[in-house]
Structure formats: structure tokens, C-alpha cells
């Protein structure tokens, strides 16, 4: 396996690897290790080699594993279901559940970690490798450390930054709920849709109403997809209980599904034709050809008045839609936050 090494100082060397899950001298310590501190971005492909190695490390007396929970709802569902990614996550969760029952094992979940730190007994690694199959196919670089004082400080200072956002297993349901909360806040931007229409000038308002309806309908489809996936029984039971009780995302779909029929002023605004309104005014009022130009000017004035009145009413309808959606979203956020119990991460 190709590897380049550069000695940096006593007890520290830079390693550049290829075709390795991670620096082999660190990885090989796991089967007989007594202590391990591991911070990794993810546990891909149903855990991959790292989780397999940890499951086989039966002599571990102390393990603190910090792994990232990607913002699942903002990533894996943004462009549609990605079945393989979801199944890999669920499989890893099942295996972590078993690992967490062992004495001395602490598993934490974060949503904002990208660091890779591995301290196994008296050797450590900080670098780009996730100790995964994906890393084995890449060129990875990092520093191997074998100074006991440096390793102790590495553990302490890494954990000091991580612990504020870390959720201790078995609070996985809390972590997933927090991820769903992020998705709701980041993706369901109902107020911004209203603001774009409200702040547009008269000449562009019709286009903005059209865009607003399309964006709202797109969000409805996305919300339905997220709810379907969140209801999957493979997810943590506490989250399932919340989702079963919270029909909020269904309600969002219902509101937007009725958009075309229940909020007629919006649709009338989208379909409004200035030329049609002008011609209708001329047909209804002009009886003499010599007055055609005057009636055309009068028709323009009347059409503009009709448009402004219709626009104002359509804005009221859109405001009602957005208020209803924001109320539903707020209810679901409240339910999700109740599931996120605080965790005491003050221990060192």
C-alpha cells in the first residue's frame, strides 16, 4: 500500500496514504486497545471498517466515540429519496445501539463536526481520513502522534470544543429531531415567499405570484417526502411517537393542495390579462369608432385599478396561506424541541 511519511519532530510524523482505510499503525491497535477516543465525520456504508473494528475491540475499557449526524433532511432528501444513504445510516444506528450497551462506552452524536481525531492507547492520528472504505480509495493526509502529553491534550481540547453540541447516546431520537428541526427552519421558508411577492413592484407582481405558488407546491411535495421517510419504523421510537402525533406536515400538504381552489384571488391575479381587461372595457362602453382612442386610455386606467385591487386581495390571500403554514410549522417545531432533552456533557 503506497504511503509517504515525513518526520516532523520526535513523536510526530506526517503520513500520506492511499489504499488504506487510515494509517495502519493506528487502525491495527484497535483489536487490543484498552482506551480509545475517536472523532469521525460519519460512519458510512453501515459502519464500514471502523465500526467493525470497534465491535471487535473486546478489550476496550473506555471508548468515547463522537460521530456526525449529517443534516439528513437538508441533504439526503433535498433532491429526492436516496435509499442507499438512508439504509446505511439506519444500519449504522442499529450497530451503534448494540455497541453503546457495553461498559465504558460513550457514543455522542453531533450535527456540525467535520474533524477526524483518533487516539488509541498511546498513538493518535489527526487528518483527513474517516477510516472508511471511501477513505481507502482516496489519497488522505494526516499527522500520527505518539507523545503521551500531546495525546492527552488532544483528547481534552478536542472534547472541549465538541461537547457543547454533542448528544449522548441513547438520545439518538433527540439528535434526529434536531436534524429535522434544522430542515424545517432552513427549507420551509414561507415568510420569504410572501416577502418576495409583497416587495415586488406592480410590473413584476404577476410573475412573483406565479413563482410563489410554484415554490409553495414544491415545498409541499418535499414535506410529504420527508414525513414519509420520518415515519419509517427503522427510526428511533421516541421520534416515531412524535411523528405519529404530529400531523403537521400532512396539514402543510393539505393547505398547499387546496391552494389552487381555496385562494381564488391568487389564481385570478396570476391569470389576469391587462389586454383582456382593456378590451373588455372598450367592448362594454365604446359605441362609436371615433371615441376608440379615448376609451382605450380609459380602459388602461380601469385595468390598472382592477389590477391593483386584485393584487391587494391576492396578497391578503397569500398572507393567510403563509400564516396558516407558519402556525403549522411552529407547532411541529415545538413538538420536536420537546423531544430534545438537554444532555450533561460537563464530564471530562
Amino acid at each position: 500500500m503506497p504511503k509517504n511519511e515525513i518526520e516532523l519532530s520526535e513523536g510526530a510524523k506526517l503520513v500520506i496514504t492511499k489504499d488504506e482505510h487510515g494509517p495502519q499503525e493506528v487502525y491495527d491497535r484497535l483489536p487490543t486497545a484498552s482506551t480509545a477516543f475517536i472523532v469521525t465525520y460519519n460512519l458510512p456504508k453501515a459502519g464500514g471498517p471502523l465500526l467493525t473494528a470497534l465491535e471487535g475491540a473486546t478489550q476496550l475499557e473506555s471508548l468515547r466515540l463522537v460521530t456526525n449526524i449529517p443534516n439528513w433532511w437538508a441533504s439526503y432528501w433535498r433532491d429526492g429519496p436516496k435509499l442507499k444513504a438512508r439504509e446505511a445510516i439506519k444500519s449504522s444506528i442499529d450497530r451503534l445501539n448494540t455497541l453503546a450497551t457495553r461498559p465504558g462506552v460513550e457514543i455522542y452524536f453531533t450535527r456540525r463536526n467535520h474533524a477526524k481525531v483518533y487516539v488509541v492507547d498511546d498513538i493518535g492520528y489527526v487528518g483527513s481520513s474517516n477510516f472508511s472504505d471511501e477513505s481507502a480509495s482516496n489519497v488522505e493526509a494526516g499527522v500520527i502522534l505518539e507523545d503521551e502529553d500531546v495525546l492527552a491534550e488532544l483528547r481534552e481540547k478536542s472534547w472541549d470544543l465538541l461537547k457543547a453540541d454533542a448528544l449522548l447516546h441513547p438520545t439518538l431520537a433527540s439528535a434526529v429531531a434536531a436534524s429535522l428541526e434544522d430542515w424545517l427552519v432552513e427549507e420551509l421558508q414561507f415568510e420569504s415567499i410572501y416577502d418576495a411577492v409583497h416587495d415586488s413592484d406592480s410590473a413584476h407582481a404577476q410573475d412573483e405570484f406565479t413563482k410563489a405558488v410554484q415554490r409553495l407546491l414544491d415545498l409541499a411535495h418535499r414535506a410529504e417526502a420527508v414525513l414519509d421517510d420520518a415515519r419509517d419504523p427503522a427510526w428511533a421510537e421516541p421520534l416515531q411517537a412524535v411523528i405519529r402525533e404530529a400531523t403537521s406536515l400532512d396539514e402543510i400538504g393539505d393547505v398547499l393542495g387546496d391552494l389552487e381552489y381555496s385562494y381564488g384571488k391568487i389564481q385570478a391575479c396570476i391569470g389576469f390579462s391587462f389586454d383582456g381587461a382593456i378590451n373588455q372595457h372598450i367592448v362594454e362602453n365604446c359605441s362609436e369608432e371615433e371615441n376608440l382612442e379615448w376609451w382605450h386610455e380609459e380602459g388602461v386606467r380601469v385595468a390598472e385599478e382592477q389590477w391593483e385591487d386584485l393584487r391587494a386581495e391576492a396578497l391578503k390571500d397569500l398572507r393567510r396561506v403563509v400564516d396558516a403554514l407558519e402556525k403549522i410549522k411552529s407547532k411541529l417545531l415545538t413538538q420536536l424541541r420537546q423531544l430534545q432533552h438537554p444532555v450533561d456533557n460537563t464530564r471530562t
Side-chain angles (χ1 to χ4, degrees):
M1 299 179 182
K3 178 189 292 187
N4 290 329
E5 299 183 356
I6 302 171
E7 293 292 333
L8 301 177
S9 62
E10 185 176 355
K13 64 182 177 182
L14 175 67
V15 292
I16 304 169
T17 61
K18 185 179 181 184
D19 300 328
E20 287 188 4
H21 294 127
Q24 203 65 35
E25 53 264 61
V26 179
Y27 190 74
D28 287 346
R29 297 287 186 92
L30 281 171
T32 59
S34 60
T35 64
F37 173 77
I38 296 174
V39 180
T40 183
Y41 173 63
N42 57 24
L43 292 170
K45 289 192 176 178
L50 177 59
L51 186 49
T52 299
L54 290 173
E55 288 173 329
T58 56
Q59 298 182 47
L60 276 175
E61 298 174 3
S62 172
L63 166 64
R64 178 172 285 169
L65 171 63
V66 184
T67 184
N68 190 61
I69 291 184
N71 194 333
W72 292 327
W73 279 270
S75 301
Y76 294 131
W77 279 279
R78 185 182 302 279
D79 298 316
K82 297 183 180 179
L83 182 60
K84 291 179 67 175
R86 295 202 303 274
E87 291 305 317
I89 291 169
K90 292 171 189 174
S91 178
S92 292
I93 288 170
D94 289 340
R95 295 173 70 181
L96 287 173
N97 288 341
T98 301
L99 184 62
T101 63
R102 286 165 47 177
V105 173
E106 295 179 356
I107 298 176
Y108 293 84
F109 299 94
T110 73
R111 290 175 290 132
R112 295 177 178 85
N113 171 64
H114 200 253
K116 294 91 175 176
V117 179
Y118 306 85
V119 180
V120 182
D121 284 346
D122 56 356
I123 190 170
Y125 170 82
V126 179
S128 61
S129 175
N130 278 312
F131 283 72
S132 64
D133 292 329
E134 288 81 359
S135 289
S137 62
N138 296 329
V139 174
E140 305 281 2
V143 176
I144 290 180
L145 303 165
E146 295 183 271
D147 183 291
E148 290 186 11
D149 292 336
V150 172
L151 292 175
E153 190 171 6
L154 175 60
R155 285 192 297 265
E156 178 185 350
K157 295 197 178 227
S158 297
W159 179 239
D160 187 53
L161 289 176
L162 288 163
K163 65 183 181 182
D165 184 55
L167 293 165
L168 178 64
H169 193 284
T171 57
L172 177 60
S174 299
V176 176
S179 183
L180 180 52
E181 177 190 345
D182 279 355
W183 185 88
L184 288 166
V185 172
E186 294 170 8
E187 294 295 309
L188 302 188
Q189 295 283 338
F190 300 127
E191 282 293 345
S192 68
I193 294 175
Y194 176 81
D195 290 342
V197 179
H198 180 270
D199 296 342
S200 63
D201 57 35
S202 182
H204 298 95
Q206 199 167 25
D207 287 341
E208 291 299 330
F209 271 112
T210 302
K211 293 177 185 176
V213 170
Q214 188 57 53
R215 285 183 65 194
L216 288 171
L217 294 176
D218 287 345
L219 289 180
H221 294 312
R222 194 174 298 173
E224 288 169 356
V226 168
L227 183 60
D228 285 342
D229 283 309
R231 280 175 169 160
D232 190 314
W235 294 117
E237 176 57 31
L239 178 66
Q240 284 298 302
V242 167
I243 295 298
R244 281 196 296 268
E245 295 173 8
T247 58
S248 301
L249 288 179
D250 280 335
E251 293 175 34
I252 289 175
D254 290 342
V255 170
L256 298 182
D258 291 339
L259 184 60
E260 185 174 358
Y261 308 104
S262 301
Y263 300 94
K265 295 298 183 182
I266 296 175
Q267 295 300 326
C269 192
I270 291 173
F272 184 80
S273 168
F274 277 91
D275 288 340
I278 293 169
N279 290 335
Q280 181 178 354
H281 186 77
I282 291 173
V283 169
E284 292 176 353
N285 294 279
C286 179
S287 58
E288 298 181 16
E289 187 173 341
E290 60 270 19
N291 293 328
L292 184 60
E293 183 176 349
W294 185 87
W295 280 111
H296 184 273
E297 293 176 357
E298 183 68 8
V300 170
R301 182 188 64 78
V302 170
E304 288 176 347
E305 289 179 354
Q306 290 176 353
W307 165 247
E308 291 301 332
D309 289 344
L310 184 58
R311 180 189 176 198
E313 291 301 315
L315 272 174
K316 292 178 183 177
D317 270 1
L318 185 61
R319 181 70 266 171
R320 284 192 287 270
V321 172
V322 169
D323 284 347
L325 295 173
E326 286 290 344
K327 183 177 180 180
I328 293 168
K329 184 174 80 171
S330 176
K331 182 176 74 172
L332 183 54
L333 286 173
T334 298
Q335 292 167 325
L336 289 170
R337 286 164 183 160
Q338 289 173 352
L339 187 60
Q340 297 171 51
H341 304 296
V343 176
D344 181 6
N345 286 329
T346 59
R347 290 181 301 156
T348 57

